[in-house]
Amino acid sequence: MSSPPLVDSPQHIPPQRVLLVTGLLGAGKTTALRTLEDLGWEAIDNFPIRLLDRLLETEPGQARAESGVDNGTQLAIGFDTRTRGFDPQAIIERVKALSARPNLSVTTLFLDCGGAELERRYNETRRRHPMSEDKPAASGIAAERDLLAPLRRWADVVISTTDFTTNDLQQAIRQQFGAISPSRTTLTISSFGFSRGTPPLADLVFDMRFLNNPHWDETLRPMTGKDAPVGDYIRQDPAFAEAFERILGLLLLLLPRFAAQGKAYVNIAFGCTGGRHRSVFMAEEIAQGLRNAGFSPTLLHRNLAARGANLLEGAQAVQV
C-alpha cells in the first residue's frame, strides 16, 4: 500500500510577498512596476485598494479563481491618488490588518520627488496635474503631497527620484527588491558626462578629465570613445597606460572583497566632460579587462547618445 503524498503544513508554507507601490504622480511608479515585473513580480497598477482583501484571500484556489493571481507569486500592487476610494488613513489601517496575517509579508514603497523636478516633468510631457484643475501644476503637487503625507511617514521604503534618471530608478528597484544571491555580485560599468551630473547610485567614480581631450581635435570630435581613432588618441596620452593598470588592479582587488561581504550590486562609473570620448573609452577598456579576469560586467553609456554633448564640451572655458 503506497503512502499518502506529503502535504506541507501551514507553518511550513512561506508567506506570500506583497509590495504596495505608491507615491507622487510623476515620481516613477510605472517605471518601478515595470522593473519589478522584469524581476519576476506579478504587477498590477491602479488596483482598487478596497478589493485588497479579496485579492489576498487565504485560500489560494479562491484567489486564483477571482483575480487570476496565484498566491505563490510575488505581487506588486500600484495605486495613487487617482485610484478609486483613495484614503491614506483607511489604506494604512487596511494594510495593518493584512500585515497581521501569518501567510502574508506586506511592504509599502513610497516614491517621492522634489516639487521643482515634478513641475519640469509635467512641463515636458505637457500633462496637467490631476489635482491642479485650472491652477499651475505646483498647486496640484502641493495638494497631493499634503494628502499623501501619512502614507509617506508610514511607508517601509521611501525612494526619492528627484535626481534619478529612469535607469537610476531601475537600478534602485533591483537593489532593493531583486532576488539576492550571496555568491554573486551584479557588476555594472558605466560612462557619463560630469556636465550632466554624477550617477547617484555609483559605488566608485573615476574622473577621466586628466586625459587629453579628443574633443579639441576636429577630426575626432564627431566620433565617440568606441571608435578606434579616438582610442588611439587617448592611448597616446603619457598618463593613460599607468592609470588604466592602476584602476584595473584596484578593481581586481576590491571586487572579490565586495562579493565576500555579500554586496549584491557594484556600480562603477567613469566620467569626463560630455560623456562621449574619454569616459566611454576607459569604460570599454576596463570592462574588457574585467572580462579577461573572469567577471561579467554590464556596460552602459549614459550620455553617449545625448543631444548637445559636443556643445557641453565646447562650452568649457579651458581644456580639461
Side-chain angles (χ1 to χ4, degrees):
M1 184 174 178
S2 61
S3 302
L6 295 176
V7 179
D8 283 340
S9 58
Q11 58 267 31
H12 292 138
I13 299 175
Q16 181 182 3
R17 196 175 177 192
V18 179
L19 177 64
L20 303 179
V21 183
T22 188
L24 291 160
L25 296 170
K29 175 167 66 73
T30 299
T31 296
L33 289 172
R34 286 175 180 167
T35 306
L36 288 163
E37 225 168 15
D38 292 342
L39 293 171
W41 292 69
E42 185 152 1
I44 305 173
D45 200 4
N46 297 321
F47 186 80
I49 297 301
R50 59 187 175 81
L51 299 180
L52 256 182
D53 298 79
R54 294 182 62 187
L55 179 66
L56 302 173
E57 289 287 348
T58 54
E59 292 296 330
Q62 184 178 353
R64 264 191 231 107
E66 294 185 1
S67 66
V69 176
D70 188 338
N71 273 30
T73 64
Q74 297 183 115
L75 183 60
I77 301 173
F79 62 94
D80 53 48
T81 52
R82 298 168 299 180
T83 304
R84 181 180 297 182
F86 183 84
D87 180 342
Q89 200 55 51
I91 291 170
I92 291 172
E93 294 305 318
R94 187 181 296 273
V95 175
K96 281 181 180 178
L98 290 171
S99 299
R101 294 186 185 180
N103 65 324
L104 295 177
S105 174
V106 184
T107 304
T108 301
L109 165 64
F110 189 96
L111 296 169
D112 201 355
C113 187
E117 173 62 16
L118 284 175
E119 286 186 65
R120 186 191 68 78
R121 294 177 189 180
Y122 274 100
N123 287 335
E124 278 193 353
T125 60
R126 298 184 180 180
R127 292 173 55 198
R128 181 182 296 275
H129 191 284
M131 297 182 69
S132 65
E133 298 179 351
D134 58 346
K135 300 177 182 178
S139 299
I141 294 168
E144 183 187 23
R145 195 180 297 280
D146 288 342
L147 178 62
L148 290 170
L151 267 176
R152 190 191 190 285
R153 289 193 298 268
W154 182 76
D156 302 290
V157 180
V158 176
I159 296 178
S160 175
T161 66
T162 305
D163 299 318
F164 277 20
T165 63
T166 298
N167 184 63
D168 293 333
L169 177 55
Q170 290 170 345
Q171 289 192 42
I173 295 296
R174 291 189 189 103
Q175 288 183 356
Q176 191 74 42
F177 302 105
I180 295 176
S181 169
S183 60
R184 182 172 180 177
T185 298
T186 299
L187 176 61
T188 301
I189 308 292
S190 64
S191 68
F192 71 95
F194 280 99
S195 298
R196 297 173 183 270
T198 305
L201 296 178
D203 297 295
L204 297 169
V205 175
F206 294 94
D207 188 344
M208 297 294 104
R209 290 176 292 184
F210 66 91
L211 295 170
N212 290 334
N213 192 350
H215 172 82
W216 303 110
D217 185 314
E218 292 186 3
T219 304
L220 301 177
R221 185 175 301 168
M223 301 182 188
T224 75
K226 299 177 75 172
D227 294 311
V230 172
D232 292 340
Y233 178 93
I234 295 173
R235 282 194 187 94
Q236 291 172 10
D237 189 309
F240 171 76
E242 184 177 356
F244 171 80
E245 292 299 332
R246 290 196 179 199
I247 292 171
L248 182 60
L250 176 64
L251 296 178
L252 292 176
L253 170 68
L254 296 181
L255 290 175
R257 297 185 66 84
F258 281 140
Q261 294 295 325
K263 189 169 175 58
Y265 296 89
V266 175
N267 301 295
I268 302 164
F270 293 88
C272 63
T273 305
R276 284 180 55 85
H277 298 113
R278 294 164 290 180
S279 62
V280 171
F281 178 69
M282 185 63 87
E284 292 275 346
E285 292 293 294
I286 290 293
Q288 186 57 53
L290 291 174
R291 291 190 191 102
N292 294 340
F295 294 89
S296 300
T298 297
L299 186 58
L300 302 172
H301 297 301
R302 192 187 74 178
N303 300 133
L304 189 58
R307 291 181 297 174
N310 280 333
L311 294 176
L312 288 170
E313 292 269 12
Q316 302 302 305
V318 294
Q319 180 174 345
V320 292

